[in-house]
Amino acid sequence: MATIIGGIATSHIPAIGNAIAKHKFEDPYWKSFFDSYEPVRAWLDEQKPDVAVVVYNDHGLNFFVDTMPTFAIGAALEYENLDEGWGLSTVPPFPGDVELSWHLIESIQSEGFDLTTCQRMAVDHGFVVPMQLLFPDRQPWPVRTVPLHVNTVQHPLATPARCYSLGQALGRALRAYPEDVRVVVLGTGGLSHQLDGQRAGFINKPFDLYCIEKIVDDPNELTRLTVHEIVRLAGTQGPELLLWLIMRGALSEKVIRRWADYHVPISNTGAGLLLLEPLEAVLADPS
Ligand code: DHB
Ligand code: FE
């Protein structure tokens, strides 16, 4: 049976990809940010997941605002990273897990979530930057991947409550998968940021810290927010919090917080990092 070994929430700011490409790891602006990923990387090295389900939002690479599915899942042999116009070199393609993808599609669809299925899917910084941060200098990529895209760009968006329920359905689907695979679920993006409009540059540190705290033990409180409240509190790109909620929903009700960090600002964003382990995983292996 598949085991969900943990969930990781991480920023996906494209400037991080630029800093990685230019090896700015010791640069004073970046050092403490990159260093804060070390415990999470050590955990991944030790836990050796086989698969990463990456919950992210496409920002206009694979889907544009004219055709934007609310939820879309990859079912491809591999996922290509194409040029997004940032001038960054692309990274090698990410291996897929077609069998797991179709299992997830069947199972989640049967719970009433209508997913767009993608047998071809290019992945942008929302997917790529977290993979680079979590698996640096690891080629070939050490995990198979399943991308799960959620619209946080073109309104109306799915509600936080709906996204949390989707995460719960994803968790049930993963736990019902008959193969013996170890799965880590990534929720990428966030926290508060606004890239355009009158409030460009807006960041709300107290709200970000509130989200980092609540998502661990009381995610239901976050599901009571509306999308528009999130925009008001966390900026126009703040709804990337939906991706964190899906990751959290996939884990069990009780989780242990293994690591948390917050850097502000990184580029234009309050950058959060969380590593959560389901309580049953900790009880099974208390080391
Ligand atoms: C930034 C953050 C994002 O999440 C994104 O998709 C693009 C840019 C930023 O902070 O610059
Ligand atoms: Fe983003």
Side-chain angles (χ1 to χ4, degrees):
M1 297 296 267
T3 310
I4 302 175
I5 59 168
I8 299 170
T10 165
S11 169
H12 64 215
I13 298 164
I16 300 166
N18 192 42
I20 291 172
K22 294 183 177 147
H23 295 96
K24 292 193 175 176
F25 309 112
E26 299 300 319
D27 183 300
Y29 182 87
W30 289 104
K31 186 170 172 29
S32 66
F33 173 79
F34 283 118
D35 286 352
S36 74
Y37 279 74
E38 277 308 324
V40 184
R41 291 174 188 146
W43 180 86
L44 286 164
D45 280 348
E46 183 194 299
Q47 292 286 329
K48 298 190 181 19
D50 302 295
V51 179
V53 175
V54 185
V55 185
Y56 77 110
N57 60 315
D58 186 276
H59 300 73
L61 177 73
N62 195 74
F63 307 112
F64 198 58
V65 286
D66 58 349
T67 313
M68 180 57 73
T70 300
F71 303 122
I73 184 166
L77 280 174
E78 63 174 27
Y79 303 96
E80 218 184 336
N81 167 222
L82 301 177
D83 181 7
E84 304 172 51
W86 280 83
L88 298 179
S89 44
T90 54
V91 300
F94 299 87
D97 187 329
V98 176
E99 204 181 312
L100 175 59
S101 284
W102 284 109
H103 165 83
L104 295 178
I105 292 162
E106 295 277 354
S107 176
I108 294 170
Q109 194 89 6
S110 75
E111 294 209 33
F113 292 90
D114 303 315
L115 303 173
T116 298
T117 55
C118 304
Q119 295 181 57
R120 193 174 56 210
M121 196 176 196
V123 286
D124 74 3
H125 63 270
F127 179 106
V128 173
V129 165
M131 292 294 289
Q132 289 179 291
L133 276 169
L134 297 173
F135 303 103
D137 305 318
R138 296 287 299 276
Q139 288 301 324
W141 296 108
V143 286
R144 300 186 297 280
T145 58
V146 178
L148 176 56
H149 151 87
V150 180
N151 169 29
T152 67
V153 173
Q154 178 72 349
H155 290 253
L157 313 183
T159 64
R162 179 78 173 151
C163 288
Y164 189 64
S165 301
L166 171 61
Q168 290 175 312
L170 169 65
R172 283 188 287 273
L174 285 169
R175 284 185 282 270
Y177 189 54
E179 302 295 320
D180 196 9
V181 289
R182 295 167 67 73
V183 182
V184 64
V185 182
L186 312 186
T188 91
L191 287 162
S192 63
H193 57 310
Q194 170 141 353
L195 300 177
D196 46 26
Q198 278 184 350
R199 290 199 307 168
F202 175 78
I203 289 177
N204 186 344
K205 181 174 175 180
F207 180 70
D208 289 348
L209 296 178
Y210 164 80
C211 291
I212 289 174
E213 185 197 319
K214 283 293 166 192
I215 202 155
V216 180
D217 288 329
D218 193 9
N220 280 310
E221 185 161 317
L222 298 177
T223 68
R224 287 193 275 275
L225 293 164
T226 67
V227 167
H228 288 106
E229 281 167 340
I230 295 176
V231 169
R232 190 166 51 77
L233 289 162
T236 42
Q237 278 70 40
E240 289 179 354
L241 177 64
L242 297 176
L243 315 170
W244 286 40
L245 276 171
I246 292 172
M247 176 281 291
R248 178 64 185 86
L251 308 181
S252 39
E253 212 167 297
K254 291 255 176 285
V255 295
I256 304 294
R257 194 186 82 170
R258 285 289 192 207
W259 184 250
D261 216 328
Y262 180 71
H263 287 78
V264 65
I266 295 291
S267 191
N268 304 292
T269 299
L273 174 63
L274 260 185
L275 167 60
L276 304 175
E277 270 189 87
L279 184 63
E280 66 269 11
V282 178
L283 295 177
D285 178 12
S287 60

